[in-house]
Amino acid sequence: MYHKTRVRFAPSPTGPLHIGGVRTALYNYLYAKQQGGDFILRIEDTDTTRFVPGAEEYIRETFDWLGLSFDESPAKGGAYGPYRQSERREIYKVYVKQLLESGAAYIAFDTPEELEARRGEIANFQYDATTREKMRNSLTLSQEETQSLIDGATQYVVRIKIDPDRDITVNDMIRGEVVISSTVLDDKVIYKSSDELPTYHLANVVDDHLMEITHVIRGEEWLPSAPLHVWLYRSLGWEESMPRFAHLPLLLKPEGNGKLSKRDGDRLGFPVFPLEWKDPVTGDRSSGYRESGYLPDAIINFLAFLGWNPGTEQEIFTLDELVQAFSFDRCSKSGAKFDVEKAKWYNHQYILNLTDGELATLFAPILKEKGVNATQEKVTKVVGLVKARVHFVKELWDQSSFFFVAPVSYDEKTTRKRWKKETPGQMRALMQLISEMDDFSAENQEKAVMEWIQQNQLHTGNIMNAFRLAIVGEGKGPHMFNITDVIGRDETLRRLEQAITTLTEREENI
Ligand code: GLU
């Protein structure tokens, strides 16, 4: 066993990283940091047919956005590089040779057509101890025949030779010890002469070993590969330094029991990718959490809870707190239901946790886009008044536009209900009162207006609702006097005047 904990996130650049992949990376990060270890990014790009341009860049941008940094990666380098498997071809060849020489692997020449024919003849055909004798490989051909085929540039693959009836133990930190019989495994292809590249299984194991990985933390979908990986470790003589495994529970769709898919996201209107993705071939766009307005810390907190819980009531954790609290003992074996409402809830909590100044800074680009020019001081005040009502920064505009622009129209229904015959006169009197106040603070306004209402035996609801309609244009918004305090006396009077004119004209037209 090595002294230092080293974990890796090993995505294949076959498209945009799925949100489940981000969860896997996060758990790797949490465990590594808790143990004072290293968190490594390795790009598993040996399957050239599935390579998608831009996917690696997308991965890098995702983790930059989330603020989870790798100790070693293709971009950053490190002592165990290169960190892209396509740049490690020569390394794998050494181990392919070793496996062939020790008899742990063999060469197979069967063409796709021949394999297809076998599948037709034999039910549930798999290439293994019982069928390999009937196939065209270095075990059934003579050494000379094999050599001459290779010399004649015949395409071949290398297969791992799985001996039957052996127990294979996968020691999983979440699932415990799982023992399976080697008889169920097939002789998987580990190398292809056509592109001179290993397959995922061999490259993955060789790199985990050479990079001194101590813990393999990955999605449950890789659990079926684990026995083969253990077998490869054994065959390569590396059993002593084999990493420990942790296969994380699947992310399940919001309803039902299936695996969360992009289709669920499209159907229910939430992203399944961290960042927006533009398909390089079709040009189709898929939405991302970043572009949908989620804060990176909220996403981290949300993902941490998809498959793990602290065993207490606490739901809000900083990244450092997660690092401290994380444990595999508290990871669940069963799938974690994906609940986007919970993601929204987290976003709301993280918005509330920002200072008003920070939130104002996030809101600034939206105001600019709307053509609003307001001081940071005003914006800070405004967001403080409305932030409790939003789940996303972009929703701030809807909740606060009236702080920045006067209403140009008045909500029909509210007007019918709130603007009565006597209202214009009352609003005129209110204007008078407002222009005479010496102190225009929210508290003082409230005191003065309430007194005036009482003295004149007016109805508070009628006055305040009409006042709100004049200032906001509809019946919503925070406390009335907080609004007028922010927009100021002149603007308050202007809006009252405007409402009286517009709504009285309307009255006359009816
Ligand atoms: N390349 C695999 C993937 O795309 C890695 C699985 C593993 O972590 O071993 O997820």
Side-chain angles (χ1 to χ4, degrees), residues 154-224:
T154 307
Q155 300 288 356
Y156 65 88
V157 298
V158 175
R159 288 181 182 270
I160 187 75
K161 186 164 166 258
I162 306 273
D163 303 328
D165 299 321
R166 303 276 192 86
D167 279 350
I168 304 177
T169 307
V170 178
N171 208 328
D172 190 289
M173 290 186 286
I174 298 175
R175 280 146 224 279
E177 215 178 71
V178 187
V179 184
I180 75 142
S181 162
S182 64
T183 309
V184 303
L185 299 185
D186 62 332
D187 293 352
K188 277 266 178 318
V189 172
I190 55 170
Y191 178 85
K192 301 192 279 352
S193 70
S194 56
D195 54 12
E196 296 187 58
L197 277 170
T199 58
Y200 153 70
H201 302 289
L202 183 72
N204 187 269
V205 163
V206 165
D207 286 346
D208 283 346
H209 176 74
L210 295 180
M211 295 183 180
E212 298 188 358
I213 298 302
T214 55
H215 299 79
V216 165
I217 304 162
R218 60 184 172 192
E220 184 180 299
E221 61 275 27
W222 301 100
L223 186 58

Side-chain angles (χ1 to χ4, degrees), residues 209-280:
H209 176 74
L210 295 180
M211 295 183 180
E212 298 188 358
I213 298 302
T214 55
H215 299 79
V216 165
I217 304 162
R218 60 184 172 192
E220 184 180 299
E221 61 275 27
W222 301 100
L223 186 58
S225 305
L228 170 65
H229 294 184
V230 171
W231 186 275
L232 283 167
Y233 265 95
R234 238 191 239 174
S235 309
L236 286 157
W238 297 336
E239 216 171 349
E240 287 301 300
S241 60
M242 191 159 70
R244 298 198 63 191
F245 292 98
H247 289 94
L248 307 177
L250 278 182
L251 294 191
L252 303 177
K253 37 172 106 268
E255 49 303 281
N257 271 329
K259 199 173 138 192
L260 176 72
S261 70
K262 172 155 154 39
R263 224 166 324 123
D264 299 313
D266 293 345
R267 186 168 51 87
L268 300 167
F270 63 84
V272 295
F273 302 124
L275 317 179
E276 186 181 86
W277 168 258
K278 185 168 171 245
D279 189 295

